[in-house]
Amino acid sequence: MSDREVPPQHHPVVAAHRSKRASNVQLRIADAITKFAGSMVFVYLHAVGFLLWMLFVESSPWPTLTLVVSLEAIFLSTFVMIGQNRQAEFQQAKADHDFVEQELELKTNTELTRAIHVMTTELHRRLMEAPDQR
């Protein structure tokens, strides 16, 4: 990044969410596992690992391999649920923040509209009181 480039601005909820995730070791570990498990490298490693297991490790690999794959599926589904919970929490925090900001904007716009109405009414009154001074 050059001296003139401004770092990207993030939604306040995004910044808070990232900060919270970064400060919790368990959440960082879950994020790293979820990121890796959702990659093609994960798929390739498993394909090669299963192939090697079936060809070289056991003569009858299915019972043990089935157990290993089932256990892995249990843990991976837990990480998927952790990710879904995290996403739901983030979406709720963002929705709450956006609601507060929109309410503030509505209040500000209402106040501005009222002020414009008062000024317009006063201007109209002044113009109507002195029609000969134009």
Side-chain angles (χ1 to χ4, degrees):
M1 184 181 310
S2 71
D3 292 337
R4 288 187 228 170
E5 289 183 37
V6 177
Q9 294 293 317
H10 293 290
H11 192 284
V13 172
V14 173
H17 181 73
R18 285 183 174 181
S19 175
K20 179 183 174 186
R21 302 292 300 174
S23 67
N24 188 317
V25 174
Q26 290 180 7
L27 295 177
R28 287 197 319 260
I29 291 169
D31 286 346
I33 292 171
T34 303
K35 184 177 179 180
F36 176 67
S39 70
M40 286 306 294
V41 172
F42 180 82
V43 173
Y44 298 141
L45 286 174
H46 277 75
V48 169
F50 294 151
L51 180 67
L52 294 174
W53 184 300
M54 289 184 286
L55 293 176
F56 302 111
V57 175
E58 292 188 32
S59 58
S60 178
W62 303 115
T64 307
L65 190 56
T66 300
L67 174 66
V68 168
V69 171
S70 298
L71 289 173
E72 183 179 44
I74 290 168
F75 283 104
L76 289 177
S77 65
T78 302
F79 287 112
V80 167
M81 288 187 285
I82 290 169
Q84 289 174 338
N85 289 340
R86 178 191 69 214
Q87 186 63 27
E89 177 186 341
F90 170 77
Q91 290 299 330
Q92 185 61 54
K94 186 175 181 312
D96 291 345
H97 176 271
D98 290 348
F99 176 76
V100 169
E101 291 296 315
Q102 288 169 1
E103 288 297 306
L104 179 61
E105 187 172 340
L106 177 63
K107 181 181 176 186
T108 302
N109 287 343
T110 301
E111 290 170 359
L112 287 171
T113 301
R114 286 184 179 141
I116 290 169
H117 176 71
V118 168
M119 288 188 293
T120 303
T121 303
E122 178 63 20
L123 182 60
H124 183 262
R125 185 190 63 76
R126 288 181 185 187
L127 287 173
M128 294 310 290
E129 284 179 357
D132 298 335
Q133 296 177 359
R134 290 185 210 175

